[in-house]
Amino acid sequence: MHYVMIGNSIASTACIEAIRSIDRKGSITVIGEEDHPCYSRPLISYLLQGKTDENRMKYRTAAFYEENKVTVLQGTRATSIDREGKTVCLDGETTLSYDKLLLATGSSPFVPPIKGLGEVKNWFTFLTLDEAKRLQTHLKKESRVLILGAGLIGLKCAEGILDKVQSVSVVDLAPRVLMSVLDEASSIQVRDHLQEQGLRFYLGDSIQECTANEALLQSGIVIGFDLLVIAVGVKPNIQLASEAGLAVNRGILVDQGGRTGDPDIFAAGDCSEGPEMISGQRAVLALLPNAYLQGETAGKNMAGDEAGFDKAVAMNALSLMGLHLITVGRYEGESHVIPCKDGYKRLFVKDNHLVGCILVGEASKRAGIYTAMIRNKVELDSLDFDLICEEPLLMAFAKNVRQQQLGGPV
């Protein structure tokens, strides 16, 4: 049995581990377009800050691949898939045969059409290690940096470079920061914190045109810059799958087992679009924990086991200049905003289940409990919900337990 994985990623690493838990003899080949070992992308901003280095960013050591007898082809691009012949074409030349194939092709930065972008000498994206290192070589104390995008990637970039440059300005068409993951109140709290650290925001605005060192915004404001970072979002890498005739939407369509429409081809990670546990609808959930669990599930099925991942849920956990925030699930149903001394907490309840939460600052310390309640679909009428809202560590005091302790009816 020959297992082939396109993409040297978190998902493919999990797939390797799952396969080897079942099949110790089959051969495994990983094709990685980047000329680096698998690394943790969320650590890119910490690399720029000097809080980590490339060696510590590696997701697994070289010994991991040796022990699991994995052949890794770094700096190699898969250009096409022949499903009938069960081969993958590499760099348009050689072919590699497979019995089971995993597509873990990840995502690419989206670069919108901007008039005059070609005149900008130093512009960057912020999704890969190579781009982060390229940006790092241009950072100077006198640099004025303009970031297009006030989402997760853009703000993590700002965090990574703020103390290394003269100024950082952030432009976003959305009226608030982290528009896709925060509500208005929490977004304001995060924006105020970041402004206190020195970031400048131009929200509800966009770049109309660029010259070599200036950006004209739709509002008429002109911002001078030395470096431009484009961080407006990502797009799943689905071209290989689409050209091979597999079903795609925004991502590669898969079931709970990571299966595509071809019984010998699976997909996992940022490129895949599978069932989301709360809505039951397919969604692209480009999150590291989901990528790992999707890869693990696919690996088990590729090796002949039967596995399903039915707890995929939207989740974001990050720290921005000392402020921690975590969001989980969906923002629908009945809303509960719980007053917090140093932070923000909002819970969402639907059909007797906790389905989502927004936690900022001190409130984020109990995120694991709320996440477990959402993933495990805990029936809220079995708990003292008011107590859970205030202090989730006391969730052990379910109603029936408390009634027993007080001598009341069970």
Side-chain angles (χ1 to χ4, degrees), residues 196-215:
E196 289 172 3
Q197 310 307 309
L199 287 189
R200 302 172 186 172
F201 287 101
Y202 299 84
L203 302 175
D205 215 336
S206 62
I207 298 178
Q208 178 176 304
E209 183 178 353
C210 281
T211 61
N213 291 104
E214 288 185 334

